[in-house]
């Protein structure tokens, strides 16, 4: 095998482990799922799973990494806007897109609060939110502004309260909620 | 002992167990605290703790019960108001009061996401929020209205992001956030 083929195969194995893990977490809960269960599901040895993810928590974090990358990109996009109103709109729309695209994962998390708790404990979201508040409101955001930006992250959980909503409508409802929440001044 | 004195003593023992439990949960985490640890802390037998709380989860729920009672009272108060704007204000102010008065508990929960997760799993909050949406907006709330009311409950977590804020200012910041969030129409 060429190095390129091998790297592509490793990437695919990692993605397969992540998908199987999320499905098992959803089905029987995070605490009740072992790395052995995930290996069994895929017909891999436990050693093969360990090679990619030394612990269940690191596996969970790896599932979250793409979310942090997208939040970071949303903040960069907002920073490039020329007015506060446009920065607020960019954050609201970016957040709504992200939340709706991760809807299945969020529903899994909402159904398993223990996993949700473990994920939050390992989260880099706090640092990202502090950066978002500075980008939108400048270097000294007020308490109202800080609280509102923090609230964006928890707003994504509420989407599981509206399972019957089509993605496009869910996106608009979320975006409107963030735009109301974030103070203009 | 008269029955009245005995009932008062039982009430005090329960409250003592709840206080000790919350302090231990805060110090070493929910999962790492056993009913035996709580008994040791108070100089009680484990049987005495079991008598009041058959499981750690029931103990945790009993700590939350007063919150549900207060949320219920806030909704009753809102229902007695004569306009939607007044109902929104009643919910916003009641929620802000409740959150600030439970600030220490919320900080404990925010610092131990696993406990927070377990508590959410056992929560009656969903039913209360559905009732709140109907009280404020009538029998057929829109998706925007449902999502905003759901978001109130998660907003309380954000107060731990502002530890330096005095209670009075924290109350006003929270109340303003809820008033912005809840749609007038």
């Amino acid at each position: 095998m060429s190095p390129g083929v091998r790297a592509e195969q490793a990437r695919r194995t990692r993605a397969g482990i992540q998908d199987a893990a999320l499905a098992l977490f959803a089905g029987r809960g995070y605490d009740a799922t072992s790395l052995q269960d995930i290996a069994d599901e895929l017909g891999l040895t436990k050693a093969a799973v360990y090679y990619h993810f030394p612990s269940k928590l690191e596996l969970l974090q790896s599932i979250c990494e793409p979310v942090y990358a997208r939040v970071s990109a949303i903040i960069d996009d907002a920073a490039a806007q020329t007015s506060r109103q446009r920065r607020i709109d960019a954050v609201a729309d970016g957040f709504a897109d992200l939340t709706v695209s991760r809807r299945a994962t969020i529903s899994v998390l909402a159904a398993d609060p223990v996993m949700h708790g473990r994920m939050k404990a390992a989260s880099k979201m706090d640092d990202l939110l502090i950066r978002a508040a500075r980008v939108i409101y400048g270097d000294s955001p007020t308490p109202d502004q800080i609280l509102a930006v923090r609230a964006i992250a928890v707003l994504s959980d509420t989407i599981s309260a509206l399972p019957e909503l089509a993605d496009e409508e869910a996106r608009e409802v979320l975006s409107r909620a963030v735009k109301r929440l974030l103070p203009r001044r």
Side-chain angles (χ1 to χ4, degrees), chain A:
Chain A
M1 262 195 301
S2 77
V5 171
R6 201 169 288 146
E8 173 57 23
Q9 194 173 64
R11 199 199 57 73
R12 240 184 267 145
T13 303
R14 278 179 63 92
I17 294 169
Q18 292 169 331
D19 289 348
L22 202 57
L24 284 169
F25 295 161
R28 60 177 85 165
Y30 176 80
D31 277 358
T33 303
S34 67
L35 287 183
Q36 182 69 62
D37 295 332
I38 296 163
D40 291 348
E41 186 70 22
L42 293 164
L44 293 170
T45 63
K46 197 172 165 188
V49 173
Y50 268 123
Y51 173 78
H52 291 284
F53 302 103
S55 73
K56 194 164 61 161
L57 190 59
E58 282 169 86
L59 171 52
L60 188 58
Q61 285 170 327
S62 81
I63 295 172
C64 304
E65 277 302 332
V67 175
Y68 303 136
R70 278 188 65 180
V71 171
S72 204
I74 291 167
I75 299 172
D76 292 343
D77 179 36
Q81 305 298 317
T82 53
S83 71
R84 179 174 292 177
Q85 186 57 58
R86 283 184 191 172
R87 291 192 291 273
I88 289 174
D89 291 349
V91 166
D93 292 338
F95 161 79
D97 280 345
L98 173 58
T99 300
V100 170
S101 75
R102 305 280 301 180
R103 215 171 167 173
T105 310
I106 291 168
S107 297
V108 170
L109 292 176
D112 184 352
V114 174
M115 171 162 59
H116 202 175
R118 289 196 195 285
M119 202 175 267
K120 273 188 186 155
S123 174
K124 299 171 188 168
M125 205 53 91
D126 279 5
D127 295 340
L128 287 169
L129 292 172
I130 291 166
R131 209 183 119 219
R134 293 211 173 119
V135 159
I136 300 174
Y137 294 113
D139 282 342
S140 303
T142 66
D144 288 272
Q145 293 165 348
I146 292 170
L147 186 104
V149 172
R150 286 275 174 162
I152 300 175
V154 289
L155 259 184
S156 66
D157 295 351
T158 61
I159 191 65
S160 53
L162 297 168
E164 74 290 351
L165 230 53
D167 283 357
E168 186 47 43
E169 197 184 354
R171 193 178 289 123
E172 285 169 15
V173 168
L174 278 169
S175 174
R176 282 195 293 265
V178 174
K179 287 171 189 168
R180 286 196 310 274
L181 183 65
L182 291 176
R184 313 232 169 281
R185 290 184 299 156

